[in-house]
Amino acid sequence: MTARRRSRLAAALAGLALVIPLTGAAGCHARPPAQLADVARTPLATAGALVAAVELAGALYLFAPDRATIERGGTPIVRIPAPDGAWADAVTMPALDDTGTWVVARTTTGALWRITATGELEPIHDLLGLPPAIRAIGSGAGTVGLALDDGVAILRDRAHLARFPDAAQATGPAAGPSVAHAPSPAAAAPAAGPSITASRDRIALRRGTDIDLWSLGDLTHASYRVPGAIAAGFTDPAGRGTLVVATPGALFVEAPGTASAELHRIAAPAQIRTLALAGSRVWIATISGVFVLDGDRFTRARVETAATDHLFGLAGGDLVLATPASLTRLTIQRDDDPRWTAEIAPVFQRVCARCHRPDGDAGVDLSTPAAWRTERRELVHRVLETRTMPPAGTPIDAADRKALADWLR
Protein backbone atom coordinates (compact mmCIF):
# COMPACT_ATOMS: atom_id res chain seq x y z
CA MET A 1 0.00 0.00 0.00
CA THR A 2 1.40 3.40 -0.94
CA ALA A 3 1.99 6.06 1.70
CA ARG A 4 -0.76 8.19 0.14
CA ARG A 5 -3.28 5.37 0.19
CA ARG A 6 -2.34 4.43 3.75
CA SER A 7 -2.72 7.99 4.96
CA ARG A 8 -6.20 8.31 3.43
CA LEU A 9 -7.34 5.06 5.05
CA ALA A 10 -5.73 6.03 8.34
CA ALA A 11 -7.56 9.34 8.27
CA ALA A 12 -10.85 7.55 7.71
CA LEU A 13 -10.14 5.24 10.64
CA ALA A 14 -8.56 7.81 12.96
CA GLY A 15 -8.80 6.85 16.61
CA LEU A 16 -9.73 3.24 15.92
CA ALA A 17 -6.29 1.60 16.10
CA LEU A 18 -5.98 -1.49 18.28
CA VAL A 19 -3.01 -3.85 17.95
CA ILE A 20 -3.92 -7.54 18.23
CA PRO A 21 -1.38 -10.37 17.83
CA LEU A 22 -1.81 -12.69 14.87
CA THR A 23 -3.70 -15.86 15.78
CA GLY A 24 -5.69 -18.58 14.05
CA ALA A 25 -5.03 -21.65 11.98
CA ALA A 26 -5.69 -22.80 8.46
CA GLY A 27 -5.01 -25.87 6.39
CA CYS A 28 -3.20 -25.95 3.06
CA HIS A 29 -3.75 -29.41 1.64
CA ALA A 30 -6.74 -31.54 0.95
CA ARG A 31 -7.17 -34.76 2.91
CA PRO A 32 -9.86 -37.39 2.74
CA PRO A 33 -12.68 -36.85 5.25
CA ALA A 34 -11.99 -38.13 8.76
CA GLN A 35 -14.32 -40.42 10.68
CA LEU A 36 -17.93 -39.45 11.16
CA ALA A 37 -18.72 -36.85 13.83
CA ASP A 38 -21.69 -37.55 16.08
CA VAL A 39 -24.07 -34.68 16.70
CA ALA A 40 -26.86 -34.21 19.19
CA ARG A 41 -30.14 -33.04 17.69
CA THR A 42 -32.44 -30.77 19.64
CA PRO A 43 -35.74 -30.02 17.88
CA LEU A 44 -36.81 -26.39 18.05
CA ALA A 45 -40.43 -25.40 18.37
CA THR A 46 -40.26 -22.75 15.65
CA ALA A 47 -40.72 -23.89 12.05
CA GLY A 48 -40.34 -22.29 8.65
CA ALA A 49 -37.68 -20.75 6.44
CA LEU A 50 -34.93 -18.81 8.24
CA VAL A 51 -32.69 -15.93 7.16
CA ALA A 52 -30.75 -15.57 10.45
CA ALA A 53 -30.30 -17.12 13.90
CA VAL A 54 -28.47 -15.65 16.90
CA GLU A 55 -28.24 -16.57 20.58
CA LEU A 56 -28.10 -14.27 23.59
CA ALA A 57 -28.38 -15.10 27.30
CA GLY A 58 -29.76 -18.58 26.64
CA ALA A 59 -32.45 -17.41 24.21
CA LEU A 60 -32.52 -18.14 20.50
CA TYR A 61 -33.64 -15.37 18.15
CA LEU A 62 -34.86 -17.03 14.95
CA PHE A 63 -35.60 -14.80 11.96
CA ALA A 64 -37.89 -15.81 9.12
CA PRO A 65 -38.60 -13.21 6.44
CA ASP A 66 -41.97 -12.24 7.89
CA ARG A 67 -41.36 -12.69 11.62
CA ALA A 68 -38.80 -13.17 14.36
CA THR A 69 -39.31 -15.70 17.15
CA ILE A 70 -37.60 -15.65 20.54
CA GLU A 71 -37.33 -19.20 21.86
CA ARG A 72 -36.08 -20.23 25.29
CA GLY A 73 -35.79 -23.77 26.59
CA GLY A 74 -37.55 -25.10 23.51
CA THR A 75 -40.55 -22.84 24.03
CA PRO A 76 -41.44 -19.82 21.85
CA ILE A 77 -41.72 -16.76 24.07
CA VAL A 78 -42.82 -14.13 21.58
CA ARG A 79 -43.15 -13.62 17.83
CA ILE A 80 -42.35 -10.24 16.25
CA PRO A 81 -43.59 -9.32 12.74
CA ALA A 82 -41.09 -7.57 10.50
CA PRO A 83 -41.74 -3.81 10.94
CA ASP A 84 -41.04 -2.95 7.29
CA GLY A 85 -40.03 -5.02 4.32
CA ALA A 86 -38.85 -8.40 5.64
CA TRP A 87 -36.14 -9.53 8.04
CA ALA A 88 -32.83 -9.97 6.22
CA ASP A 89 -30.06 -10.68 8.77
CA ALA A 90 -29.23 -10.25 12.45
CA VAL A 91 -26.28 -9.98 14.85
CA THR A 92 -25.47 -9.48 18.51
CA MET A 93 -23.58 -6.25 19.16
CA PRO A 94 -22.53 -3.99 22.05
CA ALA A 95 -25.46 -1.99 23.41
CA LEU A 96 -25.44 1.65 22.37
CA ASP A 97 -26.58 2.60 25.88
CA ASP A 98 -23.77 0.65 27.58
CA THR A 99 -26.16 -1.92 29.08
CA GLY A 100 -24.49 -5.05 27.74
CA THR A 101 -25.37 -6.71 24.44
CA TRP A 102 -28.20 -6.14 21.99
CA VAL A 103 -29.75 -8.29 19.30
CA VAL A 104 -30.01 -6.11 16.19
CA ALA A 105 -31.67 -7.15 12.95
CA ARG A 106 -31.80 -5.58 9.52
CA THR A 107 -34.81 -5.51 7.23
CA THR A 108 -34.72 -5.69 3.45
CA THR A 109 -35.44 -1.94 3.31
CA GLY A 110 -32.12 -1.29 5.09
CA ALA A 111 -33.46 -0.31 8.53
CA LEU A 112 -31.84 -1.54 11.75
CA TRP A 113 -33.97 -2.63 14.69
CA ARG A 114 -33.05 -3.65 18.21
CA ILE A 115 -35.12 -6.58 19.51
CA THR A 116 -35.43 -6.72 23.30
CA ALA A 117 -35.76 -9.92 25.32
CA THR A 118 -39.51 -9.30 25.51
CA GLY A 119 -39.91 -8.70 21.79
CA GLU A 120 -40.08 -4.91 21.73
CA LEU A 121 -38.63 -3.13 18.70
CA GLU A 122 -36.50 0.00 18.66
CA PRO A 123 -35.07 1.57 15.47
CA ILE A 124 -31.36 2.26 15.87
CA HIS A 125 -30.12 3.42 12.46
CA ASP A 126 -31.03 6.96 13.50
CA LEU A 127 -29.01 6.52 16.72
CA LEU A 128 -26.03 5.78 14.48
CA GLY A 129 -26.70 8.83 12.33
CA LEU A 130 -27.39 6.66 9.28
CA PRO A 131 -30.33 6.58 6.88
CA PRO A 132 -32.35 3.34 6.77
CA ALA A 133 -30.29 2.08 3.83
CA ILE A 134 -27.89 -0.45 5.34
CA ARG A 135 -27.15 -3.28 2.92
CA ALA A 136 -25.57 -5.75 5.37
CA ILE A 137 -24.43 -5.93 8.99
CA GLY A 138 -21.71 -7.97 10.70
CA SER A 139 -20.46 -8.03 14.27
CA GLY A 140 -17.66 -9.64 16.23
CA ALA A 141 -16.21 -9.02 19.71
CA GLY A 142 -17.31 -5.41 19.98
CA THR A 143 -16.68 -4.42 16.36
CA VAL A 144 -19.65 -3.76 14.08
CA GLY A 145 -19.41 -3.39 10.31
CA LEU A 146 -22.16 -1.92 8.13
CA ALA A 147 -22.21 -2.15 4.35
CA LEU A 148 -23.60 1.01 2.74
CA ASP A 149 -24.34 1.88 -0.88
CA ASP A 150 -21.25 4.08 -1.04
CA GLY A 151 -18.88 2.40 1.39
CA VAL A 152 -18.55 0.97 4.85
CA ALA A 153 -19.26 2.20 8.38
CA ILE A 154 -17.46 0.79 11.42
CA LEU A 155 -18.54 1.06 15.05
CA ARG A 156 -16.05 0.11 17.77
CA ASP A 157 -17.59 1.91 20.70
CA ARG A 158 -21.01 3.37 21.32
CA ALA A 159 -19.89 6.94 20.68
CA HIS A 160 -17.83 6.83 17.48
CA LEU A 161 -18.89 5.66 14.03
CA ALA A 162 -16.28 5.87 11.26
CA ARG A 163 -17.39 5.98 7.63
CA PHE A 164 -15.21 5.57 4.59
CA PRO A 165 -15.84 4.89 0.90
CA ASP A 166 -15.43 1.65 -0.97
CA ALA A 167 -11.88 0.42 -1.26
CA ALA A 168 -11.74 1.39 -4.92
CA GLN A 169 -12.51 4.98 -3.94
CA ALA A 170 -10.40 5.10 -0.78
CA THR A 171 -7.29 3.30 -2.03
CA GLY A 172 -7.61 3.22 -5.81
CA PRO A 173 -8.62 0.25 -7.98
CA ALA A 174 -8.22 -3.10 -6.27
CA ALA A 175 -4.87 -4.65 -7.11
CA GLY A 176 -4.88 -7.47 -4.60
CA PRO A 177 -4.30 -11.16 -5.29
CA SER A 178 -6.67 -13.20 -7.40
CA VAL A 179 -7.33 -16.81 -6.48
CA ALA A 180 -7.61 -18.80 -9.66
CA HIS A 181 -9.42 -22.10 -9.89
CA ALA A 182 -11.80 -23.87 -12.22
CA PRO A 183 -15.35 -23.84 -10.84
CA SER A 184 -17.35 -26.96 -11.50
CA PRO A 185 -19.95 -26.76 -14.30
CA ALA A 186 -22.69 -26.81 -11.65
CA ALA A 187 -21.06 -24.08 -9.54
CA ALA A 188 -23.55 -21.90 -7.76
CA ALA A 189 -23.66 -18.22 -8.66
CA PRO A 190 -22.44 -15.80 -5.96
CA ALA A 191 -25.19 -14.60 -3.68
CA ALA A 192 -26.79 -11.29 -4.63
CA GLY A 193 -25.99 -8.19 -2.61
CA PRO A 194 -23.02 -7.49 -0.33
CA SER A 195 -22.20 -9.31 2.87
CA ILE A 196 -20.03 -8.08 5.72
CA THR A 197 -18.42 -9.86 8.64
CA ALA A 198 -16.33 -8.70 11.57
CA SER A 199 -13.86 -9.99 14.13
CA ARG A 200 -12.32 -8.08 17.01
CA ASP A 201 -10.22 -5.79 14.80
CA ARG A 202 -10.98 -6.78 11.21
CA ILE A 203 -13.77 -6.22 8.72
CA ALA A 204 -14.37 -8.22 5.53
CA LEU A 205 -16.78 -6.97 2.88
CA ARG A 206 -17.78 -9.27 0.03
CA ARG A 207 -19.38 -7.94 -3.10
CA GLY A 208 -19.77 -10.85 -5.49
CA THR A 209 -16.34 -12.44 -5.99
CA ASP A 210 -14.41 -9.47 -4.55
CA ILE A 211 -13.47 -9.47 -0.87
CA ASP A 212 -12.09 -6.34 0.81
CA LEU A 213 -10.33 -6.91 4.11
CA TRP A 214 -9.54 -4.08 6.54
CA SER A 215 -7.28 -4.52 9.56
CA LEU A 216 -8.21 -1.87 12.09
CA GLY A 217 -5.15 -2.49 14.25
CA ASP A 218 -2.48 -1.50 11.71
CA LEU A 219 -4.81 0.40 9.34
CA THR A 220 -4.06 -1.76 6.30
CA HIS A 221 -6.26 -3.02 3.51
CA ALA A 222 -6.12 -6.04 1.21
CA SER A 223 -8.33 -7.11 -1.67
CA TYR A 224 -9.01 -10.62 -2.92
CA ARG A 225 -10.79 -11.78 -6.03
CA VAL A 226 -12.04 -15.34 -5.65
CA PRO A 227 -13.91 -16.61 -8.73
CA GLY A 228 -17.08 -18.41 -7.74
CA ALA A 229 -17.11 -17.06 -4.17
CA ILE A 230 -20.47 -17.76 -2.50
CA ALA A 231 -19.70 -16.76 1.11
CA ALA A 232 -16.98 -15.33 3.35
CA GLY A 233 -16.46 -14.82 7.05
CA PHE A 234 -14.16 -15.11 10.04
CA THR A 235 -13.54 -18.02 12.34
CA ASP A 236 -12.88 -17.11 15.98
CA PRO A 237 -14.41 -13.63 15.73
CA ALA A 238 -13.53 -12.96 19.39
CA GLY A 239 -9.86 -12.96 18.37
CA ARG A 240 -8.09 -11.63 15.33
CA GLY A 241 -10.17 -13.92 13.16
CA THR A 242 -9.11 -16.04 10.20
CA LEU A 243 -10.71 -15.22 6.85
CA VAL A 244 -12.51 -18.10 5.13
CA VAL A 245 -13.96 -17.84 1.62
CA ALA A 246 -16.17 -20.58 0.19
CA THR A 247 -16.58 -21.52 -3.46
CA PRO A 248 -18.52 -24.52 -4.73
CA GLY A 249 -15.31 -26.53 -5.05
CA ALA A 250 -13.14 -25.46 -2.11
CA LEU A 251 -12.52 -23.31 0.93
CA PHE A 252 -9.85 -20.60 0.73
CA VAL A 253 -8.37 -19.90 4.15
CA GLU A 254 -5.87 -17.31 5.32
CA ALA A 255 -2.37 -18.55 6.02
CA PRO A 256 -1.79 -18.77 9.78
CA GLY A 257 0.52 -16.38 11.57
CA THR A 258 1.50 -14.33 8.55
CA ALA A 259 0.79 -10.86 7.26
CA SER A 260 1.16 -11.95 3.63
CA ALA A 261 -1.88 -11.73 1.42
CA GLU A 262 -2.32 -15.47 0.86
CA LEU A 263 -5.32 -17.72 0.81
CA HIS A 264 -4.72 -21.44 0.95
CA ARG A 265 -7.02 -23.81 -0.88
CA ILE A 266 -8.65 -26.78 0.85
CA ALA A 267 -10.53 -28.97 -1.59
CA ALA A 268 -14.12 -29.68 -0.61
CA PRO A 269 -15.27 -33.29 -0.17
CA ALA A 270 -18.25 -32.49 -2.41
CA GLN A 271 -19.77 -29.42 -4.02
CA ILE A 272 -20.41 -26.79 -1.35
CA ARG A 273 -23.89 -25.32 -1.05
CA THR A 274 -23.57 -23.30 2.17
CA LEU A 275 -20.88 -22.02 4.53
CA ALA A 276 -21.75 -21.61 8.23
CA LEU A 277 -19.25 -20.12 10.68
CA ALA A 278 -19.96 -20.89 14.35
CA GLY A 279 -17.38 -19.41 16.70
CA SER A 280 -14.12 -21.21 15.91
CA ARG A 281 -15.88 -23.90 13.84
CA VAL A 282 -16.26 -23.97 10.07
CA TRP A 283 -19.23 -25.95 8.79
CA ILE A 284 -20.22 -26.59 5.19
CA ALA A 285 -23.31 -28.13 3.67
CA THR A 286 -22.52 -30.01 0.47
CA ILE A 287 -24.56 -31.96 -2.01
CA SER A 288 -23.56 -35.12 -0.13
CA GLY A 289 -23.89 -34.02 3.51
CA VAL A 290 -22.67 -31.73 6.28
CA PHE A 291 -18.98 -31.45 7.19
CA VAL A 292 -16.96 -29.61 9.83
CA LEU A 293 -13.40 -28.45 9.13
CA ASP A 294 -10.86 -29.91 11.56
CA GLY A 295 -7.44 -28.38 10.88
CA ASP A 296 -6.81 -29.16 7.22
CA ARG A 297 -9.33 -31.95 6.82
CA PHE A 298 -13.11 -32.33 6.83
CA THR A 299 -15.06 -34.52 9.22
CA ARG A 300 -18.48 -35.59 8.10
CA ALA A 301 -21.34 -35.10 10.55
CA ARG A 302 -24.03 -37.71 10.97
CA VAL A 303 -26.64 -35.40 9.49
CA GLU A 304 -28.65 -35.75 6.32
CA THR A 305 -29.70 -32.61 4.47
CA ALA A 306 -31.60 -31.73 1.33
CA ALA A 307 -30.90 -29.05 -1.25
CA THR A 308 -33.59 -26.85 0.30
CA ASP A 309 -32.03 -26.95 3.79
CA HIS A 310 -29.90 -24.18 5.28
CA LEU A 311 -27.34 -23.92 8.08
CA PHE A 312 -26.90 -21.04 10.54
CA GLY A 313 -23.91 -20.92 12.88
CA LEU A 314 -24.19 -19.90 16.54
CA ALA A 315 -21.36 -18.25 18.46
CA GLY A 316 -20.86 -21.26 20.74
CA GLY A 317 -20.11 -23.60 17.82
CA ASP A 318 -23.56 -25.14 17.30
CA LEU A 319 -25.67 -25.04 14.16
CA VAL A 320 -29.31 -24.45 13.43
CA LEU A 321 -30.46 -26.70 10.59
CA ALA A 322 -33.46 -25.20 8.83
CA THR A 323 -35.63 -27.37 6.62
CA PRO A 324 -38.91 -26.23 5.03
CA ALA A 325 -40.83 -28.03 7.79
CA SER A 326 -38.64 -27.88 10.91
CA LEU A 327 -35.69 -26.40 12.78
CA THR A 328 -33.10 -28.47 14.64
CA ARG A 329 -30.14 -27.44 16.76
CA LEU A 330 -27.02 -29.53 16.09
CA THR A 331 -24.23 -29.97 18.66
CA ILE A 332 -21.04 -31.92 18.01
CA GLN A 333 -20.46 -34.62 20.60
CA ARG A 334 -16.79 -34.68 21.50
CA ASP A 335 -17.18 -38.01 23.31
CA ASP A 336 -18.75 -41.16 21.91
CA ASP A 337 -21.70 -41.87 24.19
CA PRO A 338 -24.84 -42.64 22.16
CA ARG A 339 -27.02 -42.82 25.26
CA TRP A 340 -25.90 -39.38 26.46
CA THR A 341 -26.52 -38.04 22.96
CA ALA A 342 -30.03 -39.50 22.81
CA GLU A 343 -31.22 -38.92 26.40
CA ILE A 344 -29.18 -36.15 28.04
CA ALA A 345 -28.11 -33.78 25.26
CA PRO A 346 -31.69 -32.64 24.50
CA VAL A 347 -32.26 -31.88 28.20
CA PHE A 348 -28.92 -30.06 28.37
CA GLN A 349 -29.89 -27.85 25.43
CA ARG A 350 -33.27 -26.95 26.93
CA VAL A 351 -32.32 -26.59 30.58
CA CYS A 352 -28.58 -26.21 31.12
CA ALA A 353 -26.96 -24.71 28.02
CA ARG A 354 -27.62 -21.09 28.94
CA CYS A 355 -25.02 -21.25 31.73
CA HIS A 356 -23.01 -24.41 31.09
CA ARG A 357 -21.56 -24.07 27.60
CA PRO A 358 -17.76 -23.66 27.30
CA ASP A 359 -18.21 -19.86 27.39
CA GLY A 360 -21.18 -19.89 29.78
CA ASP A 361 -21.67 -17.68 32.81
CA ALA A 362 -21.42 -20.57 35.30
CA GLY A 363 -17.77 -21.29 34.52
CA VAL A 364 -18.49 -25.06 34.43
CA ASP A 365 -18.66 -26.67 30.98
CA LEU A 366 -21.23 -29.47 30.90
CA SER A 367 -21.52 -29.74 27.12
CA THR A 368 -19.92 -33.21 26.84
CA PRO A 369 -20.50 -36.68 28.32
CA ALA A 370 -16.97 -36.57 29.80
CA ALA A 371 -17.82 -33.40 31.70
CA TRP A 372 -20.96 -35.01 33.13
CA ARG A 373 -18.97 -38.03 34.28
CA THR A 374 -16.36 -35.78 35.89
CA GLU A 375 -19.04 -33.81 37.75
CA ARG A 376 -21.29 -36.78 38.41
CA ARG A 377 -21.22 -36.64 42.23
CA GLU A 378 -21.94 -32.91 42.29
CA LEU A 379 -24.69 -33.27 39.71
CA VAL A 380 -26.40 -36.03 41.68
CA HIS A 381 -26.27 -33.90 44.80
CA ARG A 382 -27.50 -30.64 43.27
CA VAL A 383 -29.87 -31.87 40.54
CA LEU A 384 -31.40 -34.93 42.22
CA GLU A 385 -30.95 -34.61 45.98
CA THR A 386 -31.13 -30.93 46.97
CA ARG A 387 -32.65 -29.83 43.62
CA THR A 388 -30.79 -26.52 43.78
CA MET A 389 -30.03 -26.93 40.10
CA PRO A 390 -31.26 -25.81 37.72
CA PRO A 391 -31.93 -22.45 39.40
CA ALA A 392 -35.44 -21.46 40.35
CA GLY A 393 -37.41 -20.25 37.36
CA THR A 394 -35.67 -22.57 34.89
CA PRO A 395 -38.28 -24.86 33.31
CA ILE A 396 -37.60 -28.57 33.89
CA ASP A 397 -40.33 -31.20 33.93
CA ALA A 398 -40.55 -34.59 35.62
CA ALA A 399 -39.56 -36.46 32.45
CA ASP A 400 -36.39 -34.37 32.12
CA ARG A 401 -35.41 -34.97 35.73
CA LYS A 402 -36.08 -38.72 35.39
CA ALA A 403 -33.83 -38.86 32.29
CA LEU A 404 -31.06 -37.17 34.25
CA ALA A 405 -31.55 -39.52 37.21
CA ASP A 406 -31.46 -42.64 35.02
CA TRP A 407 -28.21 -41.58 33.37
CA LEU A 408 -26.44 -40.22 36.46
CA ARG A 409 -27.26 -43.26 38.61
Side-chain angles (χ1 to χ4, degrees):
M1 178 179 290
T2 66
R4 181 180 179 184
R5 290 177 181 174
R6 182 182 175 89
S7 66
R8 293 176 69 182
L9 182 58
L13 300 176
L16 297 180
L18 176 64
V19 179
I20 302 295
L22 298 178
T23 61
C28 305
H29 308 291
R31 288 187 182 181
Q35 63 183 6
L36 292 173
D38 285 320
V39 296
R41 298 167 176 82
T42 304
L44 302 175
T46 303
L50 285 193
V51 295
V54 299
E55 188 171 28
L56 179 64
L60 277 176
Y61 293 68
L62 305 168
F63 293 85
D66 62 336
R67 69 189 182 280
T69 303
I70 302 175
E71 188 169 315
R72 186 184 295 276
T75 301
I77 303 302
V78 63
R79 291 184 173 89
I80 310 106
D84 57 59
W87 294 119
D89 50 22
V91 299
T92 58
M93 60 172 276
L96 297 181
D97 59 4
D98 203 24
T99 57
T101 304
W102 284 355
V103 172
V104 172
R106 183 182 67 89
T107 63
T108 52
T109 63
L112 293 182
W113 296 83
R114 174 199 175 192
I115 297 96
T116 71
T118 57
E120 297 176 351
L121 294 176
E122 176 189 0
I124 69 163
H125 45 268
D126 52 346
L127 298 178
L128 297 172
L130 296 172
I134 290 89
R135 299 308 171 207
I137 182 171
S139 178
T143 297
V144 180
L146 303 165
L148 311 174
D149 285 332
D150 57 352
V152 174
I154 296 175
L155 179 72
R156 299 198 73 187
D157 61 58
R158 62 191 181 95
H160 301 91
L161 182 77
R163 292 184 63 175
F164 53 97
D166 278 332
Q169 302 176 46
T171 62
S178 176
V179 178
H181 70 100
S184 69
S195 66
I196 194 165
T197 185
S199 67
R200 184 161 57 183
D201 73 333
R202 308 173 85 202
I203 296 288
L205 173 69
R206 183 179 71 85
R207 295 186 188 275
T209 62
D210 292 329
I211 294 93
D212 284 297
L213 178 64
W214 288 272
S215 175
L216 309 180
D218 56 14
L219 304 178
T220 57
H221 165 261
S223 294
Y224 298 94
R225 177 159 292 167
V226 184
I230 57 174
F234 291 114
T235 66
D236 189 24
R240 177 181 184 266
T242 298
L243 180 67
V244 179
V245 183
T247 70
L251 293 182
F252 291 86
V253 185
E254 273 187 304
T258 176
S260 62
E262 297 180 6
L263 294 179
H264 290 264
R265 186 179 189 273
I266 304 176
Q271 183 179 315
I272 297 174
R273 296 191 293 105
T274 304
L275 171 70
L277 298 172
S280 61
R281 287 193 178 129
V282 180
W283 297 79
I284 57 171
T286 74
I287 60 174
S288 64
V290 176
F291 295 80
V292 62
L293 184 64
D294 182 9
D296 61 352
R297 68 190 303 169
F298 288 97
T299 299
R300 182 167 183 164
R302 295 181 187 271
V303 178
E304 297 300 324
T305 61
T308 54
D309 299 344
H310 297 280
L311 300 179
F312 299 90
L314 301 175
D318 289 0
L319 287 182
V320 173
L321 170 63
T323 76
S326 66
L327 298 180
T328 305
R329 182 171 185 147
L330 306 177
T331 305
I332 283 186
Q333 299 305 297
R334 292 171 287 175
D335 192 3
D336 186 13
D337 187 332
R339 186 180 168 203
W340 191 93
T341 300
E343 299 174 13
I344 304 304
V347 181
F348 171 79
Q349 294 291 354
R350 290 194 304 273
V351 179
C352 316
R354 176 180 179 181
C355 299
H356 289 287
R357 291 189 178 282
D359 56 351
D361 295 338
V364 178
D365 177 13
L366 294 177
S367 62
T368 67
W372 279 65
R373 286 193 288 269
T374 299
E375 300 290 339
R376 178 183 173 278
R377 182 174 298 179
E378 183 70 9
L379 288 168
V380 168
H381 175 66
R382 301 191 66 184
V383 175
L384 304 179
E385 295 173 351
T386 66
R387 297 201 173 190
T388 55
M389 291 296 292
T394 303
I396 181 170
D397 59 26
D400 288 341
R401 211 176 282 274
K402 182 178 185 303
L404 298 180
D406 290 346
W407 193 86
L408 288 168
R409 290 174 170 167

